[in-house]
Amino acid sequence: MLRHLGLAAVAALLLVAASYGLEPFRNFQLATVAAYLCATAGLTVLTGLNGQLSLGHGALMATGAYTVARCQNAFADAGITGGWLLPVSLGAAVLAALVVGAVVGVAAARLRGPYLAGVTLAVAVVVPALTVTFDGVFNGEQGLAVPVEPPPVALGASFPYERWQLWVSAAATLLALLLLANLVRSRYGRTFRAVRDDEVAARLAGIHVARTQVLAFVVSAAGAGLGGALLAVLAQSVSPGAFSLTLSLFLLMAVVIGGLGSLAGAAWGAVLLVALPDLTHALTEQLSLSPAAAQRMEGNLPLAIFGVTLVVVMIAAPGGVQGLVARLGRAVSARRPGRRRP
């Protein structure tokens, strides 16, 4: 606990220091990485530690995003102001995603393999469709605006808004990572891994397998809900197109490429999710294409790049980017002068 708290404090200080030296757009990108990290960390707990495959985390992010949008609009319509509004809205978003995750988790605990993937795939399709069906509540395809108050007056009138976005997003993400890291190291984390490795052996050891799987889904859903809420706050808007099935596939591939079963791997995956659009935009600019062809290319190229990267990583580094980094660290440590085998 103290070690994780110390790491979180160091990370917070480094992010605050970095925010003063970065351009506003880079601060916004870092804030987006932090938002995605909540979702990838939650998915890592579910898939990497508990062995449950989810193709519906984009829908859970949409749940958190629309919840924070409705809360912020309700506060704005009522004329309520204050610095405590955003934390309350984020908490409501986590709670809403947690409830949806519990419902899906109860059904998922009875399913295995492709049947489990099918249920979560249905969730990824149904939840964005509901926002269009109930357009009186969610404003259909146009989505909802997310009113957010400016930075506190104490920070100064000229305080960059992007820096404030990074601070808010980083604070929420570091708190979530602190809780997840302690969960992974606790008795619950050991039961997650036991169920993942062998359900029969876990059941014989006295572990309630179904309850453990539901708990893992609930924890993962809470992380996804927080990530979606932070994305909505950063964009100051939310629409169903931002949480399509493609996002769910990207999240799953990101945690596999980053390193399944490791929170550090989830961080690599979040960085990849933010860097990919810039990479595809740069590639399309290098090609002399018509505007229509360039638009189609930008729409399909990210998924192709993710797929190719996934194949290459699985062949060259089955443990993902974090596994490769760990292997290189052990190799460098073994070759350090003065170290001899006994």
Side-chain angles (χ1 to χ4, degrees), residues 63-73 86 89-90 92-93 146 228-230 232-233:
T63 302
Y66 273 97
T67 301
V68 79
R70 292 298 305 171
C71 289
Q72 289 294 103
N73 278 288
L86 185 57
S89 297
L90 292 176
V146 183
L230 289 174
V233 170

Side-chain angles (χ1 to χ4, degrees), residues 207-342:
I207 297 175
H208 197 297
V209 173
R211 187 183 302 161
T212 301
Q213 291 175 328
V214 172
L215 177 61
F217 219 108
V218 166
V219 171
S220 182
L226 178 59
L230 289 174
L231 283 179
V233 170
L234 294 177
Q236 299 187 45
S237 65
V238 56
S239 64
F243 302 97
S244 62
L245 175 60
T246 304
L247 175 60
S248 298
L249 297 177
F250 279 167
L251 289 172
L252 183 59
M253 287 190 287
V255 297
V256 174
I257 294 172
L260 202 57
S262 167
L263 293 179
W268 287 111
V271 171
L272 186 59
L273 284 170
V274 175
L276 189 61
D278 284 347
L279 177 61
T280 56
H281 183 68
L283 287 176
T284 52
E285 282 187 343
Q286 298 299 321
L287 303 174
S288 55
L289 301 172
S290 64
Q295 185 176 5
R296 287 196 300 271
M297 180 73 74
E298 285 197 21
N300 297 318
L301 194 57
L303 194 58
I305 293 177
F306 251 119
V308 172
T309 306
L310 180 63
V311 172
V312 172
V313 168
M314 289 299 97
I315 294 174
V321 175
Q322 181 58 28
L324 180 61
V325 171
R327 264 200 338 236
L328 291 175
R330 288 193 296 268
V332 170
S333 178
R335 293 186 178 184
R336 192 182 305 164
R339 288 181 63 102
R340 295 182 179 179
R341 293 183 179 179

Side-chain angles (χ1 to χ4, degrees), residues 134-194:
F134 298 98
D135 56 349
V137 178
F138 303 110
N139 201 27
E141 292 285 356
Q142 294 182 352
L144 297 171
V146 183
V148 182
E149 294 188 2
V153 180
L155 295 175
S158 61
F159 192 84
Y161 186 70
E162 291 80 4
R163 187 183 300 162
W164 173 244
Q165 286 181 313
L166 174 58
W167 287 12
V168 171
S169 187
T173 301
L174 287 175
L175 178 59
L177 288 178
L178 178 63
L179 296 175
L180 287 176
N182 288 321
L183 177 71
V184 168
R185 296 285 184 178
S186 69
R187 176 174 61 89
Y188 295 103
R190 291 190 291 273
T191 58
F192 287 167
R193 287 186 285 269

Side-chain angles (χ1 to χ4, degrees), residues 33-77:
V33 169
Y36 277 124
L37 180 52
C38 292
T40 55
L43 187 56
T44 294
V45 171
L46 179 67
T47 303
L49 293 181
N50 195 236
Q52 297 187 78
L53 179 64
S54 173
L55 299 176
H57 263 53
L60 296 172
M61 292 182 71
T63 302
Y66 273 97
T67 301
V68 79
R70 292 298 305 171
C71 289
Q72 289 294 103
N73 278 288
F75 290 141
D77 293 341

Side-chain angles (χ1 to χ4, degrees), residues 9-24:
V10 171
L13 291 175
L14 289 176
L15 284 172
V16 169
S19 67
Y20 282 94
L22 294 175
E23 300 174 356

